[in-house]
Amino acid sequence: MSQSSGKDTPSRERSISLISSGRLRHIAFIMDGNGRWAAKRGLPRKVGHRYGAAAFKEIVRYCGDIGIKYVTVYAFSTENWGRPGDEVESIIKLLGDYMDECEKTASRDSLRMRFIGDLSAFGEAFVERAAKLEAATAHYSHGLNIALGYGGRDEIVRACRKLAERGEEITEEAIGANLDTAGIPDPDLIVRTAGEKRLSNFLMWQSAYSEFYFTDTLWPDMKPHDIDLAVEEFFGRKRRYGKV
């Protein structure tokens, strides 16, 4: 679960070769460190989020270029509503700007958009816009899942509530089929930046057998080479799924 030692010299070509095996289909990112990045430079936190958004776009595109079929990002948690109002507003504006951009560029990157989490607190107009973007990109080949108003425990509770309301049996398969990520393979690799080593209520159900990669790099400083490092370490591990 530790950061790569750096003894290898991974490259884009090496990542493409490894990923072509089909063993790494889905990477999820806990994009941590925007605020600390800004604080180190004496800048407002919202500036860190702006640079973090730029890193997000670069990393998502790179993941598609090297053959990753699904990317999930933890963009806004249920707990983030407790942050200062101006910071929350800046994050929501960045989300809106990105949706504007995706309406024009999703075809270029073949991005199939999906928003997971409880979007209701973002307002009816936002929910409708998200649904339209999902519908407009449903035929593209690379899945980008953006977790908004998301909490792993909340997601499980909502899935169980759906089953209970319909009078259906609550089984492992039934819960999985009613999660926000239904139909999406569980993440093979979860990457967390900024030196933190915890899930923070992210994909609690789906991460049961995920590999973890932690790096001290702050999210706005993440570059494609950092993804190559994570990919290299992933393929150096043996996944046993509880078996020998």
Side-chain angles (χ1 to χ4, degrees), residues 88-221:
V88 171
E89 288 176 9
S90 70
I91 294 172
I92 292 175
K93 183 181 185 307
L94 286 169
L95 289 169
D97 291 344
Y98 183 65
M99 292 168 81
D100 286 341
E101 185 174 332
C102 281
E103 289 171 353
K104 302 172 183 176
T105 64
S107 60
R108 178 193 66 196
D109 300 321
S110 195
L111 285 180
R112 183 172 66 253
M113 305 293 298
R114 187 164 177 176
F115 297 89
I116 64 174
D118 183 0
L119 302 186
S120 60
F122 290 88
E124 186 176 343
F126 187 96
V127 173
E128 291 179 357
R129 188 178 182 194
K132 288 180 180 178
L133 190 53
E134 288 181 339
T137 61
H139 58 291
Y140 293 130
S141 59
H142 290 80
L144 172 59
N145 313 303
I146 300 180
L148 297 176
Y150 178 87
R153 290 180 176 180
D154 175 70
E155 179 187 26
I156 296 168
V157 169
R158 287 188 285 106
C160 291
R161 187 176 292 133
K162 291 175 188 176
L163 293 170
E165 289 173 350
R166 296 197 298 261
E168 298 179 18
E169 184 181 3
I170 297 177
T171 65
E172 187 172 322
E173 292 74 17
I175 292 172
N178 283 273
L179 294 173
D180 298 340
T181 57
I184 300 170
D186 291 342
D188 301 294
L189 177 64
I190 295 179
V191 175
R192 181 161 190 162
T193 58
E196 305 295 347
K197 296 179 175 65
R198 56 180 178 272
L199 270 176
S200 296
N201 203 17
F202 182 54
L203 300 179
M204 301 290 286
W205 181 277
Q206 299 89 336
S207 63
Y209 287 104
S210 300
E211 296 294 322
F212 292 85
Y213 178 86
F214 301 111
T215 174
D216 292 333
T217 302
L218 301 175
W219 179 257
D221 291 327

Side-chain angles (χ1 to χ4, degrees), residues 48-76:
H49 292 303
R50 188 166 73 239
Y51 278 85
F56 153 73
K57 288 184 277 190
E58 181 179 18
I59 295 302
V60 168
R61 182 173 298 172
Y62 185 71
C63 285
D65 288 345
I66 61 177
I68 300 295
K69 292 297 184 183
Y70 300 91
V71 172
T72 299
V73 294
Y74 205 4
F76 194 88

